[in-house]
Amino acid sequence: MKKAGIIVALLLIVIIGAYFGLREEIDRYNPLVAEEYVYVQINQQPVPENHRYRYKLNGFNAEGKEKKVTFTASTVLKEGTFLKVMAKGSYTKEWEQLASGDVPKTVMEKLR
């Protein structure tokens, strides 16, 4: 009985660790996770990673709900740049640069 408890505990640790370690890949293929646009403003320096630059930013969806997004770019983006990011959970499908006038007003108020 004691061995069964240890095995179950180890399996839970492995499953939870795999979820957090592979969260982006799990969200990418999970049909239960909805895609949504998240609006962000570049307000910090990226982390260099394999000839790309990784950004971890807080943004807002069209309803004004705060979301965390992580994405990479091939160049360093100018501070203050607005982006529209297609996010599916913690996976980022694509992003595009926006002019400040293209950002919804409710989101713009929260980004500033």
Side-chain angles (χ1 to χ4, degrees):
M1 202 62 168
K2 189 174 183 178
K3 284 185 181 181
I6 292 172
I7 291 172
V8 169
L10 288 174
L11 283 173
L12 283 174
I13 290 170
V14 169
I15 291 170
I16 291 169
Y19 173 73
F20 285 108
L22 301 172
R23 190 174 197 175
E24 200 170 301
E25 286 78 15
I26 291 170
D27 286 350
R28 180 178 189 173
Y29 298 109
N30 186 346
L32 302 176
V33 176
E35 292 181 343
E36 66 179 334
Y37 284 110
V38 178
Y39 298 89
V40 298
Q41 183 177 21
I42 303 297
N43 57 12
Q44 61 187 12
Q45 291 297 313
V47 176
E49 183 179 285
N50 297 328
H51 306 290
R52 295 192 60 85
Y53 300 94
R54 180 172 294 277
Y55 290 89
K56 291 184 179 184
L57 302 168
N58 291 330
F60 299 91
N61 63 12
E63 292 81 38
K65 185 175 179 186
E66 187 172 9
K67 299 284 183 171
K68 291 183 181 184
V69 293
T70 302
F71 62 94
T72 62
S74 58
T75 61
V76 176
L77 300 170
K78 185 178 175 183
E79 189 143 342
T81 302
F82 293 99
L83 302 176
K84 181 168 85 170
V85 178
M86 172 56 79
K88 184 176 180 195
S90 59
Y91 169 70
T92 299
K93 188 173 182 178
E94 61 187 37
W95 60 267
E96 67 177 290
Q97 192 169 340
L98 296 175
S100 61
D102 295 335
V103 178
K105 290 180 183 179
T106 57
V107 173
M108 183 61 89
E109 292 170 2
K110 293 186 178 206
L111 286 175
R112 297 227 176 222

